[in-house]
Amino acid sequence: DAKTTQPPSMDCAEGRAANLPCNHSTISGNEYVYWYRQIHSQGPQYIIHGLKNNETNEMASLIITEDRKSSTLILPHATLRDTAVYYCIVSRYSGNTGKLIFGQGTTLQVKP
Amino acid sequence: SAVISQKPSRDICQRGTSLTIQCQVDSQVTMMFWYRQQPGQSLTLIATANQGSEATYESGFVIDKFPISRPNLTFSTLTVSNLSPEDSSIYLCSAPGGPYGYTFGSGTRLTVV
């Protein structure tokens, strides 16, 4: 599975959009981009995933560049409860058929 | 999505002893995963537990230290054996959570003294 690179930390003002970048320059054609977050050492929580098209759900949007070498997770209106470590993971599998390998993630601090 | 019950939530153990962690999923799943999260670090995959076969361990993890059982499609245990202070970590289990994504247990915080 391809490796990802994320900034170690980011700040965001409450109510503003949080844009979390991820580089995955060695991603291959059959690899998906997953985003998870972990709040206060709880179990990680699934946010969103995609292959090559942009995706949106009730939590966030995922923008994947055309060459698929990078992506951005967007939390449209960050709240204090969005303070967490966000993990970008690239995996060959989807639909619950493979393992997730976590990198170091980005610590997002949402400030009042 | 699937719900995982993990226990114990925390424990303090003497060095040289063992701790067994249990995870129960509310639906049948083909694979379950065990992770370790050392203080201030990210999650590291220990092994994949498949029902009816031996677990598959990641590099750096061995069965003698981390024996895993998977007696049916809803349950798995991880034992951390011959405990040392370096084993003090959070241990988490994970399983497919539905059409997309994976669900995680709430974690077991282990302190070895």
Side-chain angles (χ1 to χ4, degrees), chain B residues 13-19 65 80-84 87 110 112:
Chain B
C13 298
Q14 298 289 324
R15 66 179 67 199
T17 64
S18 299
L19 176 69
K65 176 67 174 177
V80 189
S81 304
N82 190 23
L83 291 168
S84 68
D87 295 318
L110 169 63
V112 182

Side-chain angles (χ1 to χ4, degrees), chain B residues 67-108:
Chain B
I68 289 170
S69 76
R70 185 81 203 277
N72 56 54
L73 290 174
T74 65
F75 188 80
S76 179
T77 68
L78 169 74
T79 299
V80 189
S81 304
N82 190 23
L83 291 168
S84 68
E86 292 72 34
D87 295 318
S88 296
S89 297
I90 297 173
Y91 293 86
L92 299 112
C93 62
S94 175
Y100 305 104
Y102 292 74
T103 298
F104 287 78
S106 54
T108 297

Side-chain angles (χ1 to χ4, degrees), chain A residues 6 15 22 35-36 44 53 60-61 63 65 74 81 85 94 110-111:
Chain A
Q6 299 177 252
C22 179
W35 283 86
Y36 282 76
N53 297 321
S61 295
I63 308 298
T65 59
I74 301 173
R81 288 175 295 182
V85 180
S94 181
V110 180
K111 299 185 174 181

Side-chain angles (χ1 to χ4, degrees), chain B residues 54-69:
Chain B
E54 283 198 1
T56 302
Y57 289 83
E58 298 295 311
S59 176
F61 297 96
V62 295
I63 187 171
D64 289 346
K65 176 67 174 177
F66 299 97
I68 289 170
S69 76

Side-chain angles (χ1 to χ4, degrees), chain B residues 14-52:
Chain B
Q14 298 289 324
R15 66 179 67 199
T17 64
S18 299
L19 176 69
T20 296
I21 303 166
Q22 301 179 0
C23 278
Q24 178 77 50
V25 189
D26 68 348
S27 59
Q28 294 184 342
V29 293
T30 53
M31 294 181 294
M32 294 181 70
F33 305 91
W34 288 97
Y35 290 85
R36 179 179 72 184
Q37 187 168 29
Q38 296 175 300
Q41 301 296 314
S42 180
L43 285 75
T44 301
L45 181 64
I46 297 171
T48 302
N50 299 301
Q51 196 272 334

